[in-house]
Amino acid sequence: MPSTISYTFTEGSVSNTTSEVLADNSNRKFAKFINDSDTVMYLRVAENSVANEGIRLSATGGEYTMSPQHGNLSTREVDAIVGSGSGKVLLVIEGT
C-alpha cells in the first residue's frame, strides 16, 4: 500500500538577517521553497544563511526542491536571507 504524504503550506518573511524558514523535522519527505518577492534570496541547510552564499533563489519565482528523487532531502532546519530589505515572502511547502 503506498504511503500518504500530508502537505503543509507556510509563508515566511525573509530579511537581511538570517531566519529559520523551515524547522527540523525527522518526518520530512519533501520540501519546496518558492521566492515570491522581488529580491534574490539565499537558503542554507543546518546553518545560518549568508547573503550571496548557499542555494540561490532568483526573484519572482525562483524555487528549490528537496526530495529523495533529487538526492538532496534533508530533515534539518533551513534558513534564508536576502541581501537587503525585509518582509520578503518565501513560500514553503513541506510534505510529511
Side-chain angles (χ1 to χ4, degrees):
M1 174 181 250
S3 63
T4 301
I5 297 179
S6 297
Y7 294 95
T8 304
F9 299 84
T10 58
E11 182 179 301
S13 179
V14 181
S15 69
N16 60 354
T17 57
T18 189
S19 60
E20 183 179 284
V21 293
L22 188 62
D24 288 346
N25 186 344
S26 61
N27 295 316
R28 183 178 302 138
K29 294 177 175 53
F30 166 90
K32 185 169 195 141
F33 306 87
I34 304 165
N35 183 352
D36 197 24
S37 80
D38 60 355
T39 305
V40 171
M41 292 183 186
Y42 296 89
L43 302 178
R44 276 208 171 160
V45 178
E47 60 184 300
N48 289 338
S49 291
V50 177
N52 302 312
E53 294 182 15
I55 301 163
R56 183 182 193 272
L57 299 181
S58 297
T60 59
E63 60 183 61
Y64 181 72
T65 302
M66 294 189 325
S67 72
Q69 292 79 9
H70 287 97
N72 62 351
L73 179 63
S74 174
T75 59
R76 303 284 306 273
E77 81 172 61
V78 179
D79 288 2
I81 196 168
V82 294
S84 64
S86 63
K88 304 301 180 178
V89 177
L90 177 67
L91 306 175
V92 181
I93 306 165
E94 181 179 38
T96 55

